[in-house]
């Protein structure tokens, strides 16, 4: 499965009510480190059936970024059973992203 684009309209369904752990990527198109992390997240989304990878564009969804106090991007957040269980800022290698889960 590829990464899912999340908006305020589908956030509740895709992230909060997910039956799988969700890796959420807060990103923007102009962000260099975000572009570095994007292919890694797509690879994780393809390889791991047991998790869901979601992407939130902070420019298009500022209310979601504000709700989670996103101050820098990329910010990766893990949500399990509707609760944030892990959060990390900045580009990371695949091993560190997987370790967050």
């Amino acid at each position: 499965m590829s990464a899912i684009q999340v908006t305020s309209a589908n956030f509740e369904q895709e992230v909060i009510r997910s039956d799988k752990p969700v890796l959420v990527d807060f990103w923007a198109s102009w962000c260099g480190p975000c572009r570095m992390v994007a292919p890694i997240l797509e690879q994780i989304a393809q390889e791991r059936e047991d998790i869901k990878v979601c992407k939130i564009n902070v420019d298009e969804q500022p209310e979601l970024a504000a709700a989670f106090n996103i101050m820098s991007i990329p910010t990766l957040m893990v949500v399990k059973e509707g609760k944030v269980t892990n959060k990390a800022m900045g580009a990371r290698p695949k091993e560190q992203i997987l370790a967050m889960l």
Side-chain angles (χ1 to χ4, degrees), residues 19-33:
D19 56 349
K20 301 177 184 178
V22 184
L23 178 59
V24 182
D25 174 28
F26 288 90
W27 70 286
S29 59
W30 48 263
C31 166

Side-chain angles (χ1 to χ4, degrees), residues 1-6 10-25 41 44-46 48-55 77-80 101:
M1 183 197 291
S2 59
I4 300 163
Q5 299 300 321
V6 172
N10 68 351
F11 180 80
E12 180 84 16
Q13 180 65 37
E14 295 292 350
V15 179
I16 300 300
R17 293 189 189 160
S18 176
D19 56 349
K20 301 177 184 178
V22 184
L23 178 59
V24 182
D25 174 28
L41 295 175
I44 292 170
Q46 298 290 331
R48 298 281 302 263
E49 296 289 323
D50 60 323
I51 63 166
K52 187 187 286 189
V53 177
C54 294
K55 297 177 72 64
M77 190 171 75
V78 177
V79 179
K80 294 180 182 173
L101 299 164

Side-chain angles (χ1 to χ4, degrees), residues 80-100:
K80 294 180 182 173
E81 298 173 0
K83 295 184 176 30
V84 177
T85 60
N86 210 337
K87 191 173 177 180
M89 289 175 267
R92 303 214 176 304
K94 184 177 179 181
E95 299 75 35
Q96 285 183 16
I97 294 171
L98 290 172
M100 292 176 63

Side-chain angles (χ1 to χ4, degrees), residues 6-8 11-12 15-16 24 26 56-58 61-71 75 77 79 82 84 87:
V6 172
T7 65
S8 54
F11 180 80
E12 180 84 16
V15 179
I16 300 300
V24 182
F26 288 90
I56 299 175
N57 185 320
V58 297
Q61 305 298 320
E63 66 286 345
L64 286 175
F68 290 97
N69 297 317
I70 304 303
M71 297 296 165
T75 293
M77 190 171 75
V79 179
V84 177
K87 191 173 177 180

